Amino acid sequence: MTTHAYEPAGVEIHARNVAFDWSHTPLHWIAGEPVASDMTCILHLILPEGERWFCEVFTEALPYVKDEDLARTMRGFIGQEAMHAVSHDKAVTEFLEARGIDTAPALRQFEYFFRRLLAPRTQRFARTRYNDMVQRLWLIAAIEHYTAIFGDFVLNSAWDDYEVDPTMADICRWHGAEEIEHRSVAHDVANYFHRSYLHRCRAMAVTLVYLMFVIHRAVRFMCAADPTVNYSYPRLWREYLRASRRNILPQLRQVVRYTLVYFKPSFDPASLGSTAQAVAYLAASPAARRAQT
């Protein structure tokens, strides 16, 4: 967990135009680390549908918000998540599919989950539909806890100590920095609608089950689709643990630690990561700077 002595206050959450050129990025973007490369690339498969779902739920919730400051922050959050979805969608077509990875089977599964299983309820009673929306807001808050963990990791990983593709490193760090920047938003929104420790814990329990299933499926899919990685399941785990010890992938004990922190009644999302570090990276991101020229 990274903290800085100085943390800027009142950071305005807003979307940033970015542009990524995938023409020179190899599939194994961390040299000599095919499994770590593939495991990172699952983000392009999982994230777009989830982020579009975030935007839909927040758009559904906005008319109920009377606090203009919170509403403005929600609109900034929606803008950032929409840009994340677009950028990872382009990575799917311009990077993964351009290198021979058939992404359609995995994308269909994630579309079904977010568009069907997590779609708004259609019951005629307004109160039932409202309560369902609140439950989905708490699910987003729980998921956003893990995107903040991801953001803190990529901003402090050891990638720069290895031969890595700068474009892939930049999309991960740009995305991760914005996750740190808006890490408190979903938590604040869920509490605005219904402050409940029970709701928070229940949403995290559901999220844990979902993430373990989805990440497992995505890793198996990505590694099976990569013709150069024909490893057994135990070897995939060994490769993951080896990479995590080198700070190329997140360490499981850190993920477990941050998960337990979420269950503390006094939990505050601002305790994870550094806004100052995130804002500094966003100001220097090659993709963001390229889009401004």
Side-chain angles (χ1 to χ4, degrees), residues 16 30 43 57 96 112 144 151 171 213 235-236:
R16 296 170 177 84
I30 307 174
L43 297 173
V57 179
L96 292 176
Y112 177 81
E144 280 286 295
I171 192 173
F213 173 77
R235 183 174 177 185
L236 289 178

Side-chain angles (χ1 to χ4, degrees), residues 1-245:
M1 186 177 298
T2 302
T3 57
H4 287 227
Y6 169 71
E7 287 289 274
V11 174
E12 186 76 19
I13 306 299
H14 65 279
R16 296 170 177 84
N17 289 325
V18 290
F20 298 95
D21 179 4
W22 296 106
S23 57
H24 302 296
T25 302
L27 184 61
H28 299 155
W29 64 278
I30 307 174
E33 296 286 346
V35 172
S37 297
D38 286 350
M39 286 185 175
T40 307
C41 287
I42 69 171
L43 297 173
H44 304 310
L45 301 174
I46 297 172
L47 292 176
E49 282 298 322
E51 285 160 336
R52 280 189 284 269
W53 178 70
F54 289 178
C55 294
E56 291 168 1
V57 179
F58 267 49
T59 300
E60 180 185 353
L62 261 174
Y64 297 99
V65 177
K66 307 307 179 185
D67 183 331
E68 182 50 39
D69 289 338
L70 182 61
R72 183 172 58 252
T73 301
M74 290 174 68
R75 288 190 285 269
F77 177 94
I78 291 169
Q80 288 189 345
E81 296 293 356
M83 183 58 71
H84 297 169
V86 169
S87 298
H88 289 289
D89 269 337
K90 289 182 178 179
V92 167
T93 56
E94 298 174 11
F95 172 63
L96 292 176
E97 293 179 355
R99 283 149 186 77
I101 303 297
D102 179 12
T103 62
L107 295 180
R108 282 196 297 269
Q109 292 183 32
F110 301 134
E111 287 176 3
Y112 177 81
F113 184 86
F114 286 105
R115 298 185 188 185
R116 298 288 297 277
L117 297 183
L118 289 177
R121 290 194 179 187
T122 57
Q123 280 88 344
R124 61 174 180 163
F125 297 110
R127 189 64 188 178
T128 302
R129 296 194 301 271
Y130 179 88
N131 289 338
D132 173 67
M133 181 190 71
V134 172
Q135 297 301 323
R136 285 180 281 125
L137 289 171
W138 271 112
L139 283 175
I140 293 173
I143 296 171
E144 280 286 295
H145 181 59
Y146 286 103
T147 60
I149 293 172
F150 157 74
D152 190 48
F153 164 74
V154 295
L155 291 175
N156 296 283
S157 68
W159 290 348
D160 291 339
D161 295 337
Y162 300 88
E163 184 182 345
V164 299
D165 176 77
T167 302
M168 184 65 76
D170 187 32
I171 192 173
C172 291
R173 286 171 170 163
W174 157 75
H175 186 162
E178 290 199 340
E179 294 297 337
I180 291 295
E181 185 181 47
H182 70 223
R183 64 194 181 282
S184 296
V185 176
H187 184 78
D188 291 346
V189 170
N191 275 299
Y192 176 85
F193 279 86
H194 186 60
R195 186 179 298 273
S196 169
Y197 179 70
L198 175 61
H199 278 41
R200 181 179 2 139
C201 293
R202 182 169 58 190
M204 176 54 77
V206 173
T207 297
L208 274 171
V209 173
Y210 162 69
L211 286 180
M212 287 189 291
F213 173 77
V214 165
I215 291 174
H216 173 267
R217 295 277 293 180
V219 167
R220 292 288 287 178
F221 169 83
M222 187 66 204
C223 290
D226 182 349
T228 66
V229 178
N230 186 23
Y231 298 163
S232 65
Y233 190 60
R235 183 174 177 185
L236 289 178
W237 267 106
R238 289 197 299 271
E239 291 292 320
Y240 176 89
L241 294 173
R242 184 178 68 85
S244 69
R245 286 194 294 269

